[in-house]
Amino acid sequence: MTTEFQGLDVTDAWIGLTHDATGQTAQSLHRWPTTANATKRSFDLVISGLSLLLLLPLLVFTAALIKLSYPGPVFYSHKRVGLHGRDFGCLKFRTMHVDAAQQLAELLARDAKAQEEWEKTRKLRNDPRVTAIGEVLRKSSLDEIPQLLNVFAGHMSIVGPRPVTREELPRYGEYVELYTATRPGLTGHWQTSGRSNTDFDRRVALDVEYVTRWSLLWDLWIMAKTIPVLFSREGAY
């Protein structure tokens, strides 16, 4: 049996589907071998540690620019779901005004198109909450550099599924356990396959494919693909 997501096939053979006595499909937990987990974690520690050292001047400069330009904190920590379903604070440089939540609520209440876009992608192409500096940081993905601290601390991986909120997690349906079986990534299969230009169903399919077919070589390939994606800014907003 094959499950299809927007043109991408995910076979039951990859994800170990089982059936209960009533005939319903149940998702069995995908587990990587201990050696694979250890290899991936060691890789994350080395890459994140070296990257933090190399990018320290850029981190300091960006933090100072945000602090001097807009009131409020430099960093934004948003609660996301990580390994084994545990919540963690996903770090970013703050790219929005301090009253962003209020602005979003007011916009969605008066703009049906914005409401439809938000429900479909959880993003807005023309987002009034984003500051001028924040727009540059988002398009270049520099706002996500602080997540290297999350990687070093073990909350995230260099490559993995896109971090999701507790509210978004049910949209993974029977594949929730696959998502929570690994650490979310700073970059990943979704980020190099169109990013915000793809809908949520395809995002889930890409995450499922990544978890079930993981290899260190694929991580290296995704990292290599990330570089031209950053320069092209495709799907970045």
Side-chain angles (χ1 to χ4, degrees):
M1 185 172 69
T2 300
T3 303
E4 294 186 1
F5 288 90
Q6 301 293 320
L8 189 154
D9 292 343
V10 180
T11 64
D12 290 356
W14 290 348
I15 55 179
L17 290 178
T18 59
H19 291 76
D20 61 22
T22 65
Q24 283 188 310
T25 299
Q27 178 64 58
S28 62
L29 180 61
H30 178 86
R31 297 185 185 277
W32 288 345
T34 302
T35 52
N37 279 310
T39 299
K40 189 168 175 63
R41 180 61 188 140
S42 298
F43 180 79
D44 289 339
L45 282 170
V46 171
I47 298 299
S48 62
L50 290 176
S51 298
L52 284 168
L53 288 174
L54 291 172
L55 295 174
L56 184 59
L58 180 60
L59 283 164
V60 173
F61 174 77
T62 305
L65 189 63
I66 294 171
K67 191 65 177 177
L68 294 173
S69 301
Y70 301 100
V74 169
F75 297 103
Y76 174 71
S77 177
H78 195 267
K79 188 180 291 185
R80 300 297 171 107
V81 181
L83 182 65
H84 304 317
R86 300 190 187 105
D87 291 338
F88 71 95
C90 187
L91 295 174
K92 287 188 177 185
F93 281 123
R94 185 172 62 86
T95 60
M96 294 185 178
H97 296 287
V98 291
D99 62 343
Q102 179 181 343
Q103 287 191 38
L104 177 63
E106 293 174 352
L107 175 65
L108 298 184
R110 69 172 184 268
D111 191 328
K113 288 186 177 180
Q115 174 73 35
E116 182 181 357
E117 182 182 6
W118 179 257
E119 290 180 353
K120 183 178 180 180
T121 65
R122 307 301 290 182
K123 282 177 172 282
L124 297 172
R125 187 174 292 275
N126 298 306
D127 197 331
R129 302 171 297 165
V130 179
T131 65
I133 292 175
E135 185 173 354
V136 174
L137 293 176
R138 282 175 165 234
K139 287 187 177 298
S140 61
S141 295
L142 290 174
D143 62 318
E144 297 185 354
I145 289 180
Q147 289 173 23
L148 286 167
L149 294 169
N150 287 122
V151 176
F152 195 78
H155 304 138
M156 295 179 63
S157 181
I158 293 294
V159 182
R162 183 71 173 169
V164 301
T165 64
R166 184 66 59 182
E167 292 74 26
E168 292 171 327
L169 193 60
R171 299 183 69 172
Y172 277 73
E174 62 185 310
Y175 303 108
V176 166
E177 289 184 338
L178 279 177
Y179 172 84
T180 59
T182 186
R183 294 176 177 87
L186 180 58
T187 187
H189 198 14
W190 171 80
Q191 292 92 319
T192 57
S193 302
R195 294 201 278 185
S196 298
N197 289 336
T198 60
D199 61 25
F200 209 96
D201 285 345
R202 180 162 176 80
R203 170 175 163 178
V204 171
L206 291 168
D207 285 347
V208 169
E209 184 182 34
Y210 171 78
V211 175
T212 56
R213 300 180 63 189
W214 176 84
S215 72
L216 186 57
L217 285 177
W218 198 9
D219 274 5
L220 292 172
W221 173 242
I222 288 174
M223 289 174 64
K225 286 177 63 180
T226 299
I227 297 172
V229 168
L230 291 178
F231 282 106
S232 72
R233 299 182 180 182
E234 180 185 358
Y237 55 87

